Amino acid sequence: MLRVKNDILLNMNKQHVTLLVLLDLSAAFDTVDHNVLLSRLHSKFGISGTALEWFSSYLSRRSQRVMVQGHLSQNLNLDFCVPQGSCLGPLLFTIYASTLFDVIKAHLPMVHCYADDTQLYVSFRPNKSTGQTGQFEAVTAIQPCVNDIRNWMTNDKLLLNDVKTEFLMIGTK
């Protein structure tokens, strides 16, 4: 967030307005497909052999159950998910979502991600009299990017939460 804040402040110093999109993913860590993650670790990051087997072992044969008022549920196998609360969780999710950068690179110059938090932003210089010049171009640049992100997420079994995704215009008078 410090990086995004700094970029926005630098844009404000140049009298630019920043269009910021805060993407929210629904249950992001719970939808990670182990096969896709292992494939991506191998093909995109070159992890193979014993190291890849270790990741496979770490992700496989996981289950969960709950206890309510002293009654324990049956085990539920977890074929999808990255363990939360672990040091590896955010790293593995970032690796899983790494193709997001390829999608965004075709559209926007600025993006910042950490685990399942993604901020897209583009700045523009508004017209002093109308405040509109550049705004249309910024929105026009962001919209197809978000559409492509949504398509990529569908392919990788992730879900963009439209209700919690925010679009903000930030600037000075």
Side-chain angles (χ1 to χ4, degrees):
M1 286 310 295
L2 289 175
R3 167 72 190 271
V4 175
K5 178 183 174 186
N6 185 62
D7 288 349
I8 291 169
L9 291 173
L10 289 172
N11 288 331
M12 290 170 72
N13 283 342
K14 295 187 289 186
Q15 300 298 307
H16 285 203
V17 174
T18 300
L19 174 59
L20 174 66
V21 181
L22 304 165
L23 299 176
D24 185 83
L25 283 72
S26 296
F29 281 59
D30 297 334
T31 60
V32 171
D33 183 319
H34 296 164
N35 292 327
V36 172
L37 175 59
L38 292 169
S39 174
R40 200 155 289 153
L41 281 165
H42 178 69
S43 64
K44 194 166 185 179
F45 294 92
I47 296 173
S48 61
T50 303
L52 189 62
E53 290 171 15
W54 181 83
F55 279 110
S56 179
S57 172
Y58 178 73
L59 294 168
S60 64
R61 295 180 299 280
R62 289 190 167 271
S63 63
Q64 70 179 18
R65 58 187 184 172
V66 296
M67 182 179 284
V68 177
Q69 297 179 346
H71 299 286
L72 197 58
S73 72
Q74 293 182 357
N75 278 347
L76 174 67
N77 292 330
L78 301 175
D79 298 324
F80 296 86
C81 80
V82 171
Q84 296 182 44
S86 68
C87 296
L88 284 177
L91 175 63
L92 289 174
F93 183 82
T94 300
I95 290 169
Y96 184 78
S98 63
T99 53
L100 172 66
F101 294 105
D102 299 331
V103 173
I104 294 169
K105 190 182 347 178
H107 297 279
L108 298 173
M110 300 302 297
V111 62
H112 183 75
C113 299
Y114 175 73
D116 62 337
D117 293 321
T118 302
Q119 300 86 33
L120 311 172
Y121 48 107
V122 62
S123 70
F124 60 92
R125 185 172 191 93
N127 183 306
K128 296 218 186 281
S129 61
T130 66
Q132 297 300 311
T133 302
Q135 180 176 340
F136 177 77
E137 290 83 2
V139 171
T140 301
I142 289 275
Q143 284 176 332
C145 183
V146 172
N147 289 339
D148 285 353
I149 289 170
R150 184 183 311 281
N151 292 336
W152 164 77
M153 286 182 174
T154 300
N155 290 336
D156 274 12
K157 300 178 178 96
L158 298 170
L159 179 62
L160 187 62
N161 184 340
D162 291 328
V163 174
K164 291 185 178 180
T165 294
E166 299 284 337
F167 287 76
L168 304 167
M169 292 275 196
I170 303 170
T172 63
K173 288 184 180 182

